[in-house]
Amino acid sequence: MRTTIRLTFKQHRFGVLGFGIILVAIAAGAAALGVYFNSLDIGTCATEVSEACNAIAQQMGAMVGPMYLLRGASVPIAILAGVFVGVPIVASEIERGTAILPWTVVRSRVRWFLPRVLIVGGVLAFLTALVGLSLDAMHQSLYPLVPITADLNWYEARGWLVPARALVGFAVGVLAGAALGRSLPGLFAGLVISGVMLAGTFAVGGTLNQTHVVDVSGDPGALRLTLALHDHTTGAYMGYEEAEQIMWPGDPAFTERFEEVYLGVPGSSSVLVVTRDVAIHGALALMALVAAAVVVDRRRPY
Amino acid sequence: MADDALEAHGVAKVYRRGAAPALAGIDLAIRKGSITALVGPNGAGKSTLMKAWVGFERPTKGRVLVDGIDPFTKRGDALAKVGYIPQQTALYRELTVADHLDLVGSLLPAFDRALALRRLDDLNLPTDRQASQLSGGQQAQVALALVLASGADIFLLDEPLAALDPLARREFLYLLVAGVRERGATAVLTSHVVTDVEQAADRLVVLGQGQKVLDEDVASAVAAHRITTGDAPDIHGVEFVASFLGLGEIMTLVRVAPDHGPIDGLRSATLEELMLGYLAAGRPGMVERVRSGTAGR
């Protein structure tokens, strides 16, 4: 196995090193911001207004740009990394004609394919997990009073979903490279297909989140989905149009009866929601890898 | 049959609908322990047949067998018997020679690393050099060392000499023949230049336009054929095979009865002339045009 690890890295070192440096830089940046925000002691200003808190707010404001940049770029970069290191696993072998050597020697092509996928995928998972956890640490430093395990704010751009998304990109890249047998077309196809699949996971996750919404107005870690009105008389939740059918909004009693609330997913469901979404991504990645293994087993090595 | 290392039964291969077949119904049996030269012009189907035996190209019709095993239903079992060197040497540019030994060793438990190292050492081939830094001949020797040490009994070598200079060809063939004879293995070498392989082979198979036009032991083929310039003599026991263009003249290949002695005006045919004659048979167009003086107009 050590030989396989050494030779796999030797063959794929440029992609792995290149994106590895970028991912480590992102993780380091997020961790550094987390340390910085922690040093500002933001938690003391959650309910306090003072000169000191104004100064803290200004210091925070100076770093908001880099924070948003890291938060916004991390997931796309993780997915790009997945596709870019996944495509050449098979595509470069077929393109250069080198697949003939292992595929005429090994009794099962899957025995050749699987270790390489696990090695490169494993490194990718580790590096993107570093990014995800560093982003978690940065997020926690911004919301110190909300436990990270009960916080769904920005959950899709941090934590375990970062490696999960990267691995979908990786698996789709491997499949595209294996099917097309060419690196550049594989990259285009991998990026397009993984983009479509990940957009689909957003949609699926969003739909599932909508199925069990509750009043989360007082929950700082909640995922707020809809603004609604709570009827104190009947206890029902409804939209503005429905409330207007019951009482004229201009009526002074309207605001006594109807309270504006947020419906969403409570922060306490964070572990469940993240686990569910990671499982969906994991299933997609596994399906793509199984399909890639079938392609490798059946196709010509050129 | 049990004595056959490789078989082809009615093998046909069409790559695209409507295109000319790459193989048009080949029946062939390669005996165990033989070295066979599989020759023919470009596009004759030699590589396609080799790739069918390795399980890369499924025949459109017919079947191939490797030591009685179908490489498309039992790929692992068939590949365990075969060592294959493709037309373009399939080495990893960024890996050293030693890395290649490690790679094959990691994939193949039966790989004899020490044997491969001895062969490379005999050639003074440094194992710490990357494949991209090796000459074409050196890359071919590395590929040969890998294949000979793989434990295979059947070697399929597709145009192994194409990129080699004359000295490198000699060295390659010498090591191949020595390695094959040592263990009683079987080898099939393809080439479109029969002089490359004639000294190594004990059997000659000529493919032309996807069909087998000659399949004979080298010694008996040479003994049974004569060559002359001009027309075939009208002698009992001498059978016309074909006329083809030589260097500035028309050559005629004839087949003679086994007990026929020397014939005036006829000499023994070389393997290349055998190949040219059998390929030309059924394609008299160019010779007829030369005879009628219309060639080149």
Side-chain angles (χ1 to χ4, degrees):
Chain A
M1 193 62 184
R2 262 188 291 184
T3 302
T4 306
I5 292 171
R6 180 177 64 81
L7 294 176
T8 303
F9 275 123
K10 206 166 180 180
Q11 288 173 256
H12 299 285
R13 61 186 180 278
F14 291 118
V16 172
L17 265 178
F19 277 98
I21 289 169
I22 293 170
L23 292 169
V24 166
I26 292 173
L33 275 177
V35 167
Y36 176 71
F37 289 137
N38 276 331
S39 71
L40 297 180
D41 203 11
I42 294 165
T44 58
C45 297
T47 51
E48 188 183 316
V49 178
S50 65
E51 284 296 320
C53 286
N54 284 339
I56 288 172
Q58 280 187 350
Q59 285 175 296
M60 272 184 68
M63 298 310 288
V64 155
M67 190 260 304
Y68 276 122
L69 183 66
L70 281 174
R71 188 188 264 169
S74 302
V75 169
I77 287 174
I79 296 165
L80 268 174
V83 175
F84 269 77
V85 301
V87 165
I89 299 247
V90 181
S92 69
E93 299 262 0
I94 292 168
E95 209 163 24
R96 297 190 300 171
T98 53
I100 292 176
L101 175 59
W103 291 9
T104 50
V105 160
V106 73
R107 288 181 68 115
S108 162
R109 291 182 192 176
V110 175
R111 196 184 149 229
W112 166 85
F113 172 74
L114 204 56
R116 276 149 187 79
V117 162
L118 288 175
I119 288 164
V120 178
V123 170
L124 179 76
F126 173 75
L127 292 173
T128 50
L130 262 184
V131 169
L133 295 174
S134 298
L135 288 168
D136 262 353
M138 184 183 78
H139 182 85
Q140 174 79 99
S141 68
L142 285 167
Y143 302 94
L145 302 181
V146 184
I148 199 72
T149 52
D151 192 347
L152 280 167
N153 289 296
W154 289 94
Y155 84 96
E156 286 164 333
R158 55 180 175 84
W160 294 108
L161 275 172
V162 175
R165 295 214 158 93
L167 287 174
V168 169
F170 173 73
V172 169
V174 172
L175 174 59
L180 296 172
R182 293 290 179 269
S183 294
L184 198 55
L187 280 171
F188 282 126
L191 287 171
V192 169
I193 295 168
S194 56
V196 168
M197 284 175 82
L198 290 166
T201 61
F202 270 114
V204 167
T207 304
L208 290 172
N209 286 340
Q210 295 278 3
T211 54
H212 291 103
V213 293
V214 297
D215 184 350
V216 295
S217 301
D219 184 352
L223 181 68
R224 293 178 172 182
L225 294 174
T226 328
L227 193 60
L229 291 173
H230 180 219
D231 185 345
H232 287 302
T233 306
T234 61
Y237 294 89
M238 62 192 72
Y240 278 93
E241 281 186 12
E242 205 179 328
E244 283 168 9
Q245 301 289 321
I246 300 170
M247 184 182 281
W248 178 52
D251 189 327
F254 185 90
T255 51
E256 283 176 26
R257 178 167 175 179
F258 293 102
E259 184 191 2
E260 211 172 60
V261 297
Y262 281 103
L263 297 180
V265 182
S268 57
S269 298
S270 172
V271 172
L272 198 66
V273 168
V274 170
T275 304
R276 177 202 70 200
D277 282 7
V278 167
I280 291 171
H281 285 78
L284 285 174
L286 188 63
M287 273 168 34
L289 285 178
V290 167
V294 171
V295 170
V296 163
D297 189 57
R298 295 197 178 171
R299 67 158 297 146
R300 297 171 180 147
Y302 42 80
Chain B
M1 288 180 61
D3 290 336
D4 295 327
L6 297 162
E7 297 167 65
H9 298 284
V11 171
K13 177 69 181 182
V14 178
Y15 282 105
R16 277 191 318 277
R17 203 172 290 175
L23 291 171
I26 300 274
D27 288 292
L28 184 59
I30 307 290
R31 263 192 338 265
K32 284 182 183 172
S34 65
I35 299 179
T36 300
L38 181 63
V39 300
N42 292 332
K46 309 182 298 293
S47 293
T48 301
L49 186 56
M50 298 285 256
K51 288 171 186 173
W53 276 320
V54 186
F56 291 166
E57 291 292 348
R58 184 181 290 271
T60 311
K61 281 184 193 169
R63 65 195 293 237
V64 292
L65 295 173
V66 175
D67 200 9
I69 302 168
D70 185 333
F72 294 97
T73 56
K74 292 182 180 173
R75 182 199 288 153
D77 292 342
L79 284 181
K81 309 250 176 197
V82 171
Y84 174 63
I85 298 180
Q87 233 170 335
Q88 308 290 334
T89 314
L91 300 183
Y92 292 86
R93 292 176 53 81
E94 68 276 9
L95 297 186
T96 64
V97 175
D99 287 338
H100 282 85
L101 301 183
D102 291 340
L103 173 69
V104 175
S106 70
L107 295 171
L108 189 61
F111 183 66
D112 188 343
R113 196 173 196 277
L115 173 62
L117 275 172
R118 276 201 304 278
R119 294 201 177 273
L120 295 171
D121 202 43
D122 288 344
L123 295 162
N124 291 321
L125 239 163
T127 56
D128 59 348
R129 209 172 280 178
Q130 284 184 333
S132 57
Q133 296 169 322
L134 301 177
S135 67
Q138 289 174 321
Q139 290 188 25
Q141 292 288 11
V142 170
L144 181 61
L146 291 173
V147 148
L148 288 176
S150 66
D153 293 323
I154 303 167
F155 300 110
L156 300 173
L157 300 101
D158 196 356
E159 305 265 4
L161 311 174
L164 306 186
D165 61 55
L167 184 60
R169 282 181 200 166
R170 289 292 168 129
E171 287 175 347
F172 185 96
L173 281 172
Y174 176 82
L175 287 170
L176 169 68
V177 172
V180 168
R181 297 280 185 230
E182 238 171 63
R183 65 180 81 167
T186 309
V188 179
L189 299 89
T190 69
S191 179
H192 58 273
V193 180
V194 73
T195 47
D196 280 349
V197 296
E198 65 181 320
Q199 291 185 11
D202 42 41
R203 190 165 187 88
L204 178 68
V205 175
V206 179
L207 296 188
Q209 293 182 305
Q211 293 177 326
K212 186 178 69 175
V213 296
L214 180 67
D215 178 6
E216 205 162 345
D217 282 344
V218 168
S220 59
V222 168
H225 291 84
R226 303 278 196 276
I227 200 93
T228 184
T229 55
D231 295 327
D234 186 15
I235 301 173
H236 176 69
V238 175
E239 181 192 330
F240 171 79
V241 174
S243 290
F244 58 92
L245 294 180
L247 292 169
E249 55 192 348
I250 295 172
M251 313 292 288
T252 299
L253 179 71
V254 298
R255 192 176 185 98
V256 300
D259 52 355
H260 223 297
I263 303 171
D264 280 341
L266 298 182
R267 61 165 175 81
S268 288
T270 64
L271 286 191
E272 182 163 3
E273 288 164 342
L274 270 175
M275 181 187 78
L276 291 170
Y278 276 93
L279 287 172
R283 286 205 305 169
M286 190 60 176
V287 170
E288 293 307 318
R289 284 200 292 277
V290 168
R291 282 199 170 118
S292 67
T294 58
R297 293 185 195 165

